[in-house]
Amino acid sequence: MVRCVRPPPTEDIEKTEVVVGLENVIDRTLQSFTEVTEKFDNCTDSTYPIVLTSVEIIRKAYRELRDRGIKIRFITEITNENVQFVKEIFDLVSEVRHLDGVKGNLAILDSRLLGVTA
């Protein structure tokens, strides 16, 4: 008699998840934030600082990360239009850096990639 036994799932299995719909994307992103244990690196276009500082649920999530001792590094294009919002981000993150011409948004949560596109 031959028995096939599947090995138990492990954390090492790579997985791609596609989430559709703004509310679902926000929910999944916030859930990912709760799983971060050490560091959160974020590279975004020039519009995200406005979103981060204007949408209270996202701002609160960043505060919670900061309060848990997570190192948050933020790279974005700083422009005349978003400089005031970038200044507000300094209270939420460990580091802010400027990079010309950033397009799109991505984050690395510990060692996992989280990409968001509109």
Side-chain angles (χ1 to χ4, degrees):
M1 178 173 166
V2 176
R3 257 179 32 184
C4 294
V5 179
R6 291 185 182 184
T10 68
E11 295 292 324
D12 295 334
I13 297 174
E14 290 186 25
K15 170 174 108 172
T16 300
E17 180 180 2
V18 177
V19 181
V20 179
L22 182 60
E23 186 174 317
N24 294 331
V25 169
I26 290 172
D27 288 345
R28 183 62 184 107
T29 300
L30 296 175
Q31 178 187 352
S32 295
F33 284 7
T34 65
E35 299 165 3
V36 178
T37 60
E38 292 179 35
K39 61 184 177 176
F40 173 40
D41 298 323
N42 200 358
C43 184
T44 71
D45 62 30
S46 62
T47 62
Y48 190 72
I50 298 166
V51 173
L52 169 55
T53 57
S54 302
V55 178
E56 184 54 35
I57 193 165
I58 295 173
R59 187 181 185 103
K60 180 182 177 199
Y62 271 75
R63 263 191 241 111
E64 289 172 358
L65 286 169
R66 179 200 63 202
D67 294 346
R68 286 183 19 227
I70 304 299
K71 182 176 182 174
I72 305 170
R73 298 185 298 183
F74 197 87
I75 300 171
T76 191
E77 181 173 20
I78 301 172
T79 65
N80 289 331
E81 291 79 23
N82 74 3
V83 69
Q84 185 58 42
F85 301 99
V86 172
K87 288 178 182 179
E88 292 180 39
I89 291 172
F90 281 106
D91 291 335
L92 300 172
V93 303
S94 308
E95 294 177 41
V96 176
R97 301 280 186 223
H98 165 79
L99 183 63
D100 282 330
V102 176
K103 302 289 183 214
N105 303 296
L106 67 90
I108 299 174
L109 310 162
D110 293 327
S111 62
R112 294 178 329 242
L113 176 67
L114 174 68
V116 178
T117 184

